[in-house]
Amino acid sequence: MAPGRLRPRVAITDRIQIRNHRQVASQLERSIPRGAFSGATLDILFTGEGLAKLDDATRERVEDFAADFLDCDCEANPHCGHPEEKFVAYLLALRAEGHSAEDIVDIMGEDYHLTAYPGDVRSFLEDAIRTLEAAESLADVEGRGAVSEAVREYRDALLG
């Protein structure tokens, strides 16, 4: 890459992985991508293909994941983008509750058997705060005080 060029950002959902990937693939008796939001993984989860083969704890977490993030009426579900949007909202809600990036990784592991690097979660949260700061500034410039105040309150909640 040439000096001074920006690297494209990777969405946080592209960084979320199945915690016990090899074990899950072995139980399903098929190869699956490590990424929780990859197309093939979403297809397997959405159709419930082979979930009966999973141990009870893993199946329960997969079913929770499907219920919380794949429940959508779109024709393109689960490839409509809504699962990723819901997951981003989940991460932001955890941060607004005061959880650190490390805590968030632990919680998503407990809730859904998913994992990520805390640094990736931290970067995502920092980007979210910068985006909210920009939205707040734009609302101020446009004279939309109520919007600016709502964005500021949300940003402050993420800052902890």
Side-chain angles (χ1 to χ4, degrees):
M1 181 179 327
R5 300 223 24 204
L6 295 175
R7 288 186 302 155
R9 289 249 181 230
V10 176
I12 185 64
T13 52
D14 291 341
R15 305 271 186 185
I16 305 301
Q17 299 180 351
I18 299 169
R19 186 168 64 185
N20 297 321
H21 172 258
R22 288 182 194 206
Q23 177 185 349
V24 171
S26 175
Q27 289 177 20
L28 290 172
E29 299 173 345
R30 65 179 298 172
S31 176
I32 61 170
R34 181 175 290 277
F37 288 92
S38 73
T41 303
L42 290 176
D43 285 340
I44 291 167
L45 298 179
F46 186 70
T47 61
E49 189 177 316
L51 295 186
K53 297 176 183 178
L54 296 174
D55 64 60
D56 291 342
T58 302
R59 184 175 50 255
E60 183 178 318
R61 296 306 175 277
V62 168
E63 289 170 348
D64 290 345
F65 177 86
D68 291 349
F69 302 110
L70 302 181
D71 185 23
C72 176
D73 292 332
C74 293
E75 268 187 45
N77 189 20
H79 306 287
C80 57
H82 292 124
E84 292 86 348
E85 289 175 12
K86 290 177 182 180
F87 194 80
V88 164
Y90 163 77
L91 295 177
L92 293 172
L94 290 173
R95 177 62 193 138
E97 292 172 5
H99 297 287
S100 69
E102 292 78 9
D103 293 342
I104 291 170
V105 170
D106 290 343
I107 292 167
M108 79 169 96
E110 292 171 20
D111 289 351
Y112 305 109
H113 282 197
L114 300 177
T115 192
Y117 292 107
D120 288 338
V121 174
R122 193 174 302 106
S123 293
F124 161 74
L125 295 171
E126 289 168 359
D127 287 347
I129 290 166
R130 284 194 296 274
T131 300
L132 290 170
E133 288 169 347
E136 180 184 351
S137 294
L138 286 172
D140 284 339
V141 167
E142 293 292 323
R144 305 209 38 207
V147 172
S148 176
E149 181 60 28
V151 171
R152 182 177 13 267
E153 288 175 11
Y154 189 58
R155 185 201 65 211
D156 290 348
L158 293 182
L159 287 169

